[in-house]
Every structure is written in C-alpha cells, then in structure tokens.
Amino acid sequence: MSEASTFSGGAPHPTLVLASASPRRVDLLTQIGFAPDLIAPADIDETPLKDETPPHHAERLAVAKARKIAADHPASFIIGADTVVACGRRILPKAEDAATARKCLSLLSGRRHRVFGGVALIAPDGKIALRRVQSAVVFKRLSETEMEWYLASGEWQGKAGGYAIQGLAARFVREIIGSYSNIVGLPLFETAQLLIGRGFRSGS
C-alpha cells in the first residue's frame, strides 16, 4: 500500500496506520469515521517492568507499538494503543488458558476494577502525542455456575483480564464509570481528538 490515500477531491493525504492486530480497535476506529488504511501489528515484549504501575504500562506499550511501526511508515499517521486491566496495582494478564481466565474472574468477582487505555499518535513530522484514559468497572459477585458458563464460552481467550465487556461478560457488569470504548479497546473521544488535533482528515 502506498503511503498516501486521496480525499474525494483527489488531494493526497497521509495514511492512517493502526499498530495493532485487534479487530475490536479496527471496528472502533471505523465506527467514528477513521477506518485505518493499513493494519500493521507491532510485535513487542509486553511484559510489565519491575514495579511498573498499570497506567504507566499502558502508556509505555502504546508508545512502543507506535514507534516500532512508524519506522517503516514515516509519512503516515501511526496509532499505537494498549489496554490494561488492573485490580489495585496488579496488572492482570491476557488470558491464554482457562486457568488464567479463572484467576482473573475470581479477582474481579464482586469488586470494582480499573481499565487503563494508552493511545499514542505519531504524526508524519515525527512528533508523538499521548493520552491516557481510565475507566472503572464493577462486577457482580460471580457464582461458580456463572464462572463455569463463561469459561466454557471461550470468549476470554486473549482478553486482558479474562473477559470481553462487549460480549457475554456484559451480563456481569453492574456499573461502568468513564469511557465504555476504552474498556472495549480504544477510547474513541480521546483518539479522535488526537487525530483532529494533529491535522489528520478522514478520507470518508
């Protein structure tokens, strides 16, 4: 793909590259009229640093993803994003097996937890803009039957904190404080403001 798309009037403009393989982030960007021109997953080490706080972890990974992809697409706008589910200062992992998902759900059951979203935008001039968003989610207390039902669904696979709020797990959520789209995977208001503020214009 070329480094420039065109507006309806024919004038070229830099492409928008999403440094993520997440279909949820693609859908969210498309929802607000900023469909990415290119999906370029950034393969980076997402292991938290020693004593790293959840919000700093989200910010650091968002910037790292954007920087890695920007090196190959210097004329584009690059969006890097990361979503961190935290219980207190504890960063919950992406659940890759049922045992991990169960541990996450057990921690979240009957409690309020926080979801931190980091969004980094690198413009064609190389400047980086960064936003951090915090949302809070309150889960009902889960019965063993509910937990087994959700684990059997397989929906938790690869999800931070072991659940997807936009799916079956919505029935466990008593309250949301803050940005819903941030919990899904990308805070839309803040992302749009970053793009508009740096002069990016949608081709739609």
Side-chain angles (χ1 to χ4, degrees):
M1 177 177 288
S2 67
E3 288 292 336
S5 300
T6 59
F7 294 118
S8 57
H13 79 286
T15 57
L16 178 61
V17 181
L18 177 63
S20 172
S22 167
R24 297 178 301 281
R25 292 189 178 120
V26 175
D27 290 344
L28 287 167
L29 278 171
T30 302
Q31 175 186 326
I32 58 171
F34 291 111
D37 299 289
L38 181 66
I39 311 301
D43 184 17
I44 64 170
D45 183 359
E46 300 188 14
T47 305
L49 301 177
K50 186 178 186 323
D51 298 325
E52 187 171 39
T53 63
H56 183 265
H57 184 63
E59 291 178 343
R60 180 175 64 83
L61 293 189
V63 171
K65 291 175 183 179
R67 280 180 170 159
K68 182 166 185 178
I69 300 306
D72 294 326
H73 302 278
S76 295
F77 284 85
I78 315 295
I79 290 180
D82 195 72
T83 304
V84 174
V85 177
C87 205
R89 288 178 56 88
R90 180 172 181 175
I91 297 172
L92 300 191
K94 290 182 180 178
E96 302 297 345
D97 55 65
T100 301
R102 176 182 286 278
K103 289 179 181 178
C104 290
L105 292 172
S106 296
L107 279 171
L108 301 179
S109 176
R111 298 181 61 179
R112 173 182 295 188
H113 64 274
R114 294 171 297 164
V115 179
F116 294 96
V119 183
L121 175 68
I122 299 180
D125 61 8
K127 293 182 179 179
I128 300 177
L130 178 65
R131 295 289 184 276
R132 184 183 78 204
V133 179
Q134 175 180 325
S135 305
V137 182
V138 182
F139 263 33
K140 72 182 291 291
R141 186 169 297 280
L142 303 179
S143 68
E144 184 61 26
T145 299
E146 289 172 321
M147 195 171 298
E148 289 296 336
W149 170 79
Y150 190 68
L151 291 172
S153 75
E155 187 182 80
W156 46 267
Q157 293 181 354
K159 303 298 191 302
Y163 77 95
I165 197 169
Q166 72 274 22
L168 299 173
R171 67 194 285 176
F172 303 147
V173 178
R174 292 180 52 194
E175 184 179 8
I176 294 172
I177 303 166
S179 169
Y180 172 79
S181 63
N182 178 53
I183 304 165
V184 177
L186 190 70
L188 291 182
F189 176 79
E190 291 77 10
T191 301
Q193 293 304 301
L194 280 176
L195 287 164
I196 294 168
R198 296 296 294 139
F200 181 80
R201 293 174 57 195
S202 171
S204 61

